Amino acid sequence: ALAQDQDRVEWLLQLARLAIVQDQLELARITGDRVLVLEENAEMRAMLASIMHRVGDLKTMAHHLEALPEEGDQAANAANLLGMMQASQGKIREGLDNMALTETLAPDAFVLQATRALYLNYDPDISNEALQEVHRTIGRRFANALTPLDQHSLALPHDPERRLRIGFVSPDFRSHSVAYFARSYFGAFDRDRFDVVAYASVAKPDLVSEDLRSLVTEWRNVFDLNDQMLAELIRQDRIDILIDLAGFTRDNRLLVFTARPAPIQMTYIGYPNTTGLPAIDYRITDWITDPEGVDDDYSETLIRMPGCFLNYAIPAHAPPVEPGPCEKRGYITFGSFNNFAKINPKLLALWADVLHAVPDSRILFKSTSSGDPTAQEVIRGELECLGIDPVRVLFNGFEPTPQNHLAVYNEIDIALDTFPYHGTTTTCEALWMGVPVVTLRGDRHASRVGASLLTAIGFPAGIAENAEDYVTTARLLAENPGLLKTARRTLRDTVVGSSLCDGRSHAAMLEQAFRAVWQIWCEQQN
């Protein structure tokens, strides 16, 4: 159509919308730039700002946000995007204040409210009780987003011992952290007792998608289906247990679960908090991330795994572990490769204490936005106010491949975990690359994941119980070059030999959990 009339703005807008949906971000950007040549368009500005956030170009994102009107249809979207940008620059407080505006501007926009809830997990000042209430409020608000499907239209046999069909729903069956934690057990389930059906809501399947597809019984590419259509497909597939792997993260399909397409519904892996949705029956976790006494924090019933609730797939084609940089530089380099939204003033104060405790040490930051000048200025400025010379604060930009990304771990001696939202994939990557991790145990799931991971590989010495202990642990590691050298040489073997990488045992524990809840359901029906 555009070949016939290249200046039709409504057609250009539609092309840009479709390009974003299909994850063709460069086509969307070029199309958006063309629209803005023809006219000033608030929707297109918002789309371009979103694109720039996803590719990590926060300077251009800021340019588009500044041009958006403060009122009108795009006001809520603009507040959300501005909040996301500020969080990506380490300005979490300002970001959350802007996202809070969406509660008034667009309380019924699920995507905006889910994003706000996600980012509240990064807030160092919110109490656990207040955080739970936000999630429960959203869960109640969207509990009836879809009309429940007729429970009798496709009755499933109430046989507690029959072969079960387990469905997994995720937008992240691609090159994404969640895929690394699903792969090990996907291929390890007992296929005589369980069918595994993957519902991949993925715009652009990649090599990781193809790998996962080879491991499951059935693969459904459901990206083009709306929530109602997906719910009906799941019902037609006769799924017994349906599992969400995204929570409130981007592109989730949580609203599908409100139609109750499966008799038993769970959430797992992808999100560190409750969904608040009455339609989600269970949440899979463990005894370290969710110890005894926290059950009331969740709207779901907790299923606790005997070990770590996560299972890590060894990264393919990881570069070799090199000697620690302290051996050639003569000083310790700490590192954090986490999302900058996890970095806050209280955490930077803690890291400043670590740097003061280890003279001449450096800290290296790496994330999708670590190349942004404003983000660098914010973090360097905060640390400088805490007495840290800016020359000790380093940044590594975007790396184009997973191999290049992992190779950057060879530039750090010790990884410092974030707080209150711990790292997950970054912690596993650091350990795989021979880098010990220091983590601070907190009062909620998001701030206990590091403790669970380190316990699983047999390195409890990296778990601190308070801020003073965190600094001491980091200092003692830094002062022990022999231990760092040994970690560099042995950690990879330790990780691969631990329960964290035992996909078969992990799958067996999941199978046991699935069978138990299925038997409970059957008893309730009979």
Side-chain angles (χ1 to χ4, degrees):
L2 283 164
Q4 303 297 320
D5 187 350
Q6 64 178 353
D7 292 338
R8 285 283 291 272
V9 169
E10 64 268 34
W11 293 357
L12 287 164
L13 281 169
Q14 183 65 356
L15 177 60
R17 295 184 194 109
L18 289 169
I20 290 174
V21 167
Q22 292 289 338
D23 211 27
Q24 298 187 46
L25 300 185
E26 182 59 19
L27 173 59
R29 185 193 65 78
I30 292 170
T31 306
D33 289 344
R34 177 64 184 162
V35 169
L36 296 182
V37 168
L38 297 170
E39 69 174 38
E40 180 56 43
N41 187 286
E43 181 187 356
M44 195 66 254
R45 287 280 186 194
M47 282 194 280
L48 285 168
S50 179
I51 292 167
M52 293 302 104
H53 183 261
R54 288 171 63 177
V55 301
D57 185 352
L58 300 187
K59 181 178 179 180
T60 307
M61 180 185 186
H63 165 72
H64 290 301
L65 288 175
E66 288 167 359
L68 278 171
E70 296 183 2
E71 298 178 350
D73 295 340
Q74 290 296 330
N77 198 20
N80 180 63
L81 289 168
L82 179 58
M84 292 170 68
M85 182 189 75
Q86 291 168 325
S88 296
Q89 294 173 328
K91 298 185 286 188
I92 187 64
R93 183 76 274 139
E94 296 94 321
L96 290 173
D97 287 346
N98 274 299
M99 287 184 183
L101 298 175
T102 66
E103 172 68 3
T104 300
L105 295 168
D108 296 323
F110 178 70
V111 171
L112 299 185
Q113 297 312 311
T115 302
R116 182 174 67 91
L118 166 64
Y119 277 76
L120 279 169
N121 288 289
Y122 303 136
D123 187 354
D125 299 317
I126 192 171
S127 69
N128 193 37
E129 293 74 19
L131 184 60
Q132 302 306 326
E133 185 53 33
V134 169
H135 285 78
R136 290 177 184 274
T137 298
I138 293 173
R140 289 191 295 267
R141 186 178 299 165
F142 295 96
N144 301 312
L146 297 184
T147 301
L149 298 174
D150 181 4
Q151 297 298 307
H152 302 289
S153 63
L154 195 61
L156 298 170
H158 304 164
D159 178 359
E161 299 301 329
R162 69 171 174 83
R163 180 174 178 156
L164 296 179
R165 289 175 60 76
I166 313 298
F168 292 87
V169 183
S170 177
D172 302 321
F173 289 150
R174 54 188 174 86
S175 184
H176 185 278
S177 299
V178 166
Y180 303 140
F181 293 103
R183 189 192 188 284
S184 293
Y185 58 82
F186 262 23
F189 285 119
D190 182 350
R191 294 310 168 79
D192 291 330
R193 303 175 66 232
F194 297 91
D195 287 327
V196 179
V197 184
Y199 296 93
S201 188
V202 178
K204 292 173 65 176
D206 56 18
L207 293 176
V208 174
S209 307
E210 290 305 308
D211 175 48
L212 293 173
R213 184 172 187 165
S214 71
L215 300 175
V216 299
T217 313
E218 298 168 36
W219 179 272
R220 303 277 189 266
N221 192 338
V222 299
F223 180 77
D224 291 330
L225 302 184
N226 65 32
D227 289 340
Q228 187 66 48
M229 295 166 66
L230 176 52
E232 291 170 357
L233 173 63
I234 292 167
R235 171 58 66 87
Q236 292 168 11
D237 282 344
R238 301 177 70 87
I239 297 299
D240 299 304
I241 300 175
L242 186 67
I243 303 171
D244 155 66
L245 296 179
F248 284 165
T249 59
R250 185 165 69 88
D251 297 331
N252 73 78
R253 304 302 299 268
L254 266 181
L255 295 187
V256 169
F257 288 71
T258 65
R260 181 62 77 170
I264 299 173
Q265 302 189 148
M266 302 180 176
T267 186
Y268 181 37
I269 293 181
Y271 192 66
N273 219 315
T274 184
T275 65
L277 289 169
I280 307 291
D281 307 303
Y282 296 96
R283 173 180 168 81
I284 300 174
T285 181
D286 65 44
W287 288 98
I288 294 178
T289 51
D290 288 297
E292 186 175 359
V294 304
D295 298 67
D296 289 344
D297 289 349
Y298 299 92
S299 61
E300 305 88 1
T301 298
L302 297 184
I303 298 175
R304 293 178 173 92
M305 303 287 277
C308 181
F309 75 104
L310 295 165
N311 193 246
Y312 183 57
I314 297 167
H317 312 301
V321 175
E322 298 178 2
C326 64
E327 294 185 38
K328 57 186 175 184
R329 296 172 183 163
Y331 57 81
I332 291 291
T333 303
F334 296 103
S336 171
F337 291 7
N338 282 284
N339 173 2
F340 277 11
K342 295 181 179 181
I343 296 175
N344 56 74
K346 290 183 178 179
L347 180 64
L348 288 173
L350 180 61
W351 287 349
D353 288 343
V354 170
L355 293 171
H356 284 305
V358 185
D360 299 324
S361 61
R362 308 289 194 272
I363 185 167
L364 174 64
F365 293 92
K366 181 185 181 300
S367 79
T368 54
S369 55
S370 54
D372 177 65
T374 301
Q376 294 182 6
E377 181 182 345
V378 168
I379 290 174
R380 275 204 182 102
E382 287 272 0
L383 289 172
E384 186 174 14
C385 289
L386 295 164
I388 303 302
D389 189 329
V391 300
R392 300 174 66 187
V393 183
L394 312 171
F395 295 88
N396 193 98
F398 173 76
E399 296 293 345
T401 68
Q403 293 76 24
N404 290 353
H405 163 70
L406 289 172
V408 182
Y409 284 96
N410 284 321
E411 301 300 317
I412 65 174
D413 298 290
I414 301 167
L416 299 178
D417 202 1
T418 46
F419 188 87
Y421 197 134
H422 284 181
T424 304
T425 307
T426 50
T427 296
C428 293
E429 289 173 344
L431 297 170
W432 184 250
M433 293 302 297
V435 180
V437 179
V438 179
T439 191
L440 174 58
R441 193 197 309 259
D443 68 346
R444 62 199 70 175
H445 180 100
S447 56
R448 294 192 185 111
V449 170
S452 183
L453 292 170
L454 294 186
T455 300
I457 68 150
F459 186 60
I463 304 169
E465 301 299 337
N466 54 55
E468 183 180 358
D469 189 20
Y470 186 98
V471 174
T472 300
T473 301
R475 178 180 60 79
L476 290 175
L477 279 171
E479 292 175 351
N480 194 332
L483 179 59
L484 293 177
K485 188 178 292 187
T486 299
R488 218 77 184 189
R489 188 179 67 252
T490 63
L491 259 181
R492 183 170 286 189
D493 288 339
T494 299
V495 170
V496 78
S498 73
S499 61
L500 187 61
C501 293
D502 187 351
R504 179 57 239 162
S505 294
H506 197 81
M509 289 187 288
L510 286 172
E511 289 171 353
Q512 188 176 16
F514 296 156
R515 184 64 61 183
V517 297
W518 178 254
Q519 290 174 342
I520 291 171
W521 184 82
C522 288
E523 291 172 3
Q524 292 172 341
Q525 306 308 307
N526 294 327

